[in-house]
């Protein structure tokens, strides 16, 4: 069977394949128990004025075809919208496309003791009833995209949960993965020029067992930094801090090589209003640290003969608004300096109270993909950290009655909007959810009173079977350009 990358590179259609949520008798030998010292959450000084804010405790045999392939996005099924002018208010959240086929209406389960009724997916994700259904990654591959997930392995108990791992390892579900935490600076270089790749190597080995694309995350960020960066014994100067940054990028990129299909070179450099984030990097070097980081990454690519693509990644840049314009200017400035950047990651942490609509996301993606990089190629985009949280006063395992079928229907459409925007935009290469199981979600600890934001949950708790949600329909139908039905 051709690798994920070769399918994407050739724009081939993937055949529907068997997919169910497997319930393994035992897990793979690589799924060992790990420390829970890491957190699946992100870092916060993110403003909560929009739904895309984060929280602060963020925490091998290789396929030759996967390594040698290059990726080209296939022609989308419909034409993306043109770039809109700057909005004066938040984007609308209602979908704007008509269904291309008659939508299928899903059923719901019987209410639990809390009054919660689960809207069940019609496409895939149940434990047995839909064994021949197309998977989410299969649907993405059919339009030349990937579909993936972040995972905090090693870190949380996900790495030793056999039911979680069964879904994670199934490439019909996910053909791309992102390490949620283990490639961040605090774990890779805890002391200056002392590197620890053990945890990250374990993640890479697990991903490569099933030939998954890896989006490596990240080389420069204001958070999850070791104390030798944030509290140095000798105050940093521009020269000394930039030397440390260049060295980190060089050593890390050399180590992982082309195991990393993408690198998030710089992560979250802007405030929500489009001004520069006032962090250790900016305080010491001003905005020039962005150029230093991308120059170093390009130098490592040339030095070690790498094909990995270099990205800027941020939240609240998913719609045409000051922060998106700042990110577009960052790309243009790098290009003017002759420094290459390949793509921009649109994190896409959304909520039922704020999610940009389909047309808004298409226009924003089109604005980025219209830009050229220093090599003369159009910038590509990727949805890198998608989730859609909803009001929920229940637990990770027992949602409250607040999560009604109507709320779940809205969540399905919000997933659909983002996936369909990618599927219909030339230059959008794929979609990644920020983990797929509520058990290991960062959302409730960051946004109290909300949750249920991922594609699966475990009613019996960790180390029990996963149950798919109707949001899975939003993913598959989004790639297939079919608007899902309502869930009653």
């Amino acid at each position: 069977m051709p690798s994920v990358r070769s399918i994407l590179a050739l724009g081939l259609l993937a055949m529907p394949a068997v997919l169910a949520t497997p319930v393994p008798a035992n897990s793979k030998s690589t799924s060992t128990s790990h420390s829970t010292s890491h957190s699946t959450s992100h870092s916060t000084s993110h403003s909560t004025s929009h739904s895309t804010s984060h929280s602060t405790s963020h925490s091998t045999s290789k396929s030759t075809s996967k390594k040698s392939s290059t990726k080209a996005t296939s022609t989308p099924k419909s034409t993306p919208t043109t770039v809109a002018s700057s909005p004066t208010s938040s984007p609308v959240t209602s979908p704007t496309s008509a269904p291309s086929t008659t939508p299928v209406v899903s059923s719901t389960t019987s209410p639990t003791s809390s009054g919660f009724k689960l809207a069940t997916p019609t496409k895939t994700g149940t434990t047995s009833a839909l064994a021949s259904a197309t998977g989410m990654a299969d649907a993405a591959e059919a339009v030349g995209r990937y579909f993936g997930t972040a995972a905090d392995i090693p870190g949380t108990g996900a790495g030793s949960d056999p039911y979680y791992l069964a879904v994670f390892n199934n490439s019909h579900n996910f053909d791309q993965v992102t390490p949620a935490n283990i490639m961040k600076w605090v774990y890779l270089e805890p002391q200056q020029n002392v590197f620890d790749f053990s945890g990250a190597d374990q993640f890479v080995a697990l991903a490569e067992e099933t030939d998954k694309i890896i989006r490596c995350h990240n080389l420069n960020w204001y958070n999850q930094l070791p104390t030798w960066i944030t509290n140095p014994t000798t105050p940093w100067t521009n020269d000394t801090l930039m030397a440390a940054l260049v060295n980190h990028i060089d050593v890390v990129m050399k180590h992982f090589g082309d195991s990393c299909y993408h690198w998030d070179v710089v992560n979250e450099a802007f405030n929500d209003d489009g001004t520069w984030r006032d962090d250790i990097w900016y305080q010491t070097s001003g905005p020039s640290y962005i150029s230093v980081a991308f120059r170093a990454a390009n130098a490592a690519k040339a030095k070690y003969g790498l094909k990995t693509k270099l990205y800027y990644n941020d939240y609240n840049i998913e719609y045409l608004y000051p922060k998106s314009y700042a990110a577009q200017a960052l790309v243009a400035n790098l290009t003017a300096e002759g420094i290459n950047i390949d793509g921009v990651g649109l994190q896409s942490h959304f909520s039922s109270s704020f999610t940009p609509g389909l047309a808004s996301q298409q226009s924003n993606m089109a604005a980025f993909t219209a830009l050229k990089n220093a090599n003369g190629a159009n910038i590509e985009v990727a949805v890198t950290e998608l989730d859609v949280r909803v009001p929920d006063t229940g637990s990770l395992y027992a949602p409250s009655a607040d999560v009604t079928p109507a709320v779940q229907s809205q969540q399905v459409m919000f997933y659909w909007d983002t996936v369909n925007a990618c599927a219909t935009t030339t230059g959008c290469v794929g979609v990644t959810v920020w983990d797929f199981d509520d058990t290991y979600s960062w959302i409730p600890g960051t946004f109290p009173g909300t949750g249920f934001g991922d594609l699966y949950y475990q009613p019996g708790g960790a180390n029990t079977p996963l149950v798919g949600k109707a949001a899975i329909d939003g993913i598959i139908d989004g790639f297939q350009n079919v608007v899902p039905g309502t869930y009653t």
Side-chain angles (χ1 to χ4, degrees):
M1 179 177 178
S3 71
V4 170
R5 285 193 184 177
S6 62
I7 291 170
L8 291 169
L10 297 172
L12 300 177
L13 299 181
M15 294 298 292
V18 173
L19 174 65
T21 305
V23 182
N26 46 62
S27 59
K28 292 188 178 184
S29 60
T30 55
S31 339
T32 55
S33 178
H34 305 300
S35 160
T36 57
S37 60
H38 303 180
S39 165
T40 49
S41 59
H42 296 256
S43 165
T44 75
S45 48
H46 298 193
S47 159
T48 55
S49 60
H50 300 307
S51 75
T52 51
S53 312
H54 298 206
S55 112
T56 44
S57 49
H58 254 294
S59 48
T60 132
S61 106
K62 301 180 182 179
S63 163
T64 22
S65 59
K66 176 178 175 183
K67 299 298 176 188
S68 61
S69 300
T70 56
K71 181 174 182 183
T73 307
S74 64
T75 303
K77 290 187 175 182
S78 62
T79 305
T81 57
T82 56
V83 179
S85 59
S86 177
T88 55
S89 59
S90 297
V92 296
T93 59
S94 58
T96 57
S97 293
S100 57
T101 67
T102 303
V104 177
V105 179
S106 174
S107 60
T108 55
T109 62
S110 299
T112 63
S113 58
S114 70
F116 167 71
K117 294 201 309 182
L118 175 70
T120 55
T122 63
K123 305 294 181 181
T124 190
T126 61
T127 55
S128 60
L130 296 160
S132 62
T134 298
M136 294 175 283
D138 295 326
E141 288 177 17
V143 291
R145 277 47 170 192
Y146 63 71
F147 182 74
T149 183
D152 199 4
I153 298 174
T156 62
S160 58
D161 185 331
Y163 298 91
Y164 177 98
L165 287 172
V167 177
F168 175 88
N169 285 329
N170 188 335
S171 290
H172 300 296
N173 290 322
F174 308 109
D175 55 17
Q176 175 272 321
V177 289
T178 299
N181 285 297
I182 199 61
M183 288 188 185
K184 290 172 182 170
W185 200 315
V186 68
Y187 301 114
L188 293 188
E189 194 180 358
Q191 301 175 55
Q192 188 165 14
N193 215 27
V194 177
F195 290 84
D196 180 0
F197 295 111
S198 56
D201 285 347
Q202 181 182 333
F203 182 91
V204 170
L206 180 62
E208 291 186 339
E209 284 182 9
T210 48
D211 199 37
K212 288 177 168 52
I213 293 169
I214 304 173
R215 292 199 79 259
C216 294
H217 176 78
N218 53 56
L219 294 170
N220 173 276
W221 192 28
Y222 71 90
N223 206 343
Q224 283 185 277
L225 294 168
T227 55
W228 68 266
I229 290 284
T230 59
N231 189 25
T233 54
T234 301
W236 293 112
T237 66
N238 175 67
D239 289 346
T240 58
L241 184 58
M242 291 302 96
L245 175 60
V246 170
N247 181 66
H248 180 84
I249 290 172
D250 180 82
V251 173
V252 170
M253 288 185 65
K254 177 183 179 181
H255 178 83
F256 291 109
D258 277 330
S259 290
C260 298
Y261 185 68
H262 293 168
W263 261 114
D264 288 332
V265 178
V266 176
N267 193 49
E268 301 176 2
F270 296 111
N271 297 314
D272 279 344
D273 62 0
T275 59
W276 294 102
R277 186 183 295 279
D278 189 24
D279 56 23
I280 184 70
W281 308 105
Y282 185 81
Q283 290 167 8
T284 306
S285 300
S288 65
Y289 81 88
I290 304 285
S291 299
V292 171
F294 275 94
R295 282 190 193 276
N298 278 286
K301 277 187 66 173
K303 183 177 179 181
Y304 305 118
L306 305 180
K307 297 177 181 177
T308 184
K309 295 189 176 184
L310 308 178
Y311 268 65
Y312 175 74
N313 189 57
D314 213 331
Y315 65 97
N316 280 355
I317 61 168
E318 302 88 1
Y319 50 97
L320 293 169
Y321 206 66
K323 194 171 184 180
S324 173
Y325 295 125
Q328 292 170 47
L330 180 152
V331 172
N333 290 338
L334 287 173
T335 298
E337 292 182 64
I339 304 170
N340 194 59
I341 175 174
D342 296 298
V344 174
L346 313 173
Q347 290 186 12
S348 307
H349 293 292
F350 296 142
S351 77
S352 58
S353 62
F354 180 86
T355 296
L358 173 64
S360 177
Q361 292 188 62
Q362 287 173 322
S363 296
N364 185 69
M365 289 180 182
F368 279 106
T369 59
L371 300 172
K372 299 285 187 180
N373 66 19
N375 293 334
N378 287 83
I379 293 296
E380 61 184 43
V381 294
V383 176
T384 55
E385 304 184 15
L386 176 62
D387 47 36
V388 182
R389 64 186 182 272
V390 302
D392 181 16
T393 56
S395 72
L396 294 172
Y397 320 118
S400 68
D402 298 331
V403 188
T404 63
V407 167
Q408 293 173 71
S409 291
Q410 183 186 49
Q411 183 185 56
V412 169
M413 289 310 308
F414 289 164
Y415 269 109
W416 186 92
D417 280 340
T418 301
V419 170
N420 192 250
C422 181
T424 57
T425 297
T426 300
C428 183
V429 298
V431 176
T432 307
V433 292
W434 200 251
D435 222 320
F436 59 89
D437 180 4
D438 286 344
T439 299
Y440 306 103
S441 173
W442 70 295
I443 292 170
T446 306
F447 302 100
T450 69
F452 201 73
D454 297 333
L455 304 177
Y456 295 83
Y457 81 121
Q458 291 174 291
N463 302 299
T464 66
L466 277 68
V467 174
K469 303 177 187 176
I472 292 170
D473 287 353
I475 302 295
I476 294 176
D477 288 341
F479 285 121
Q480 295 179 340
N481 207 28
V482 178
V483 178
T486 56
Y487 302 81
T488 57

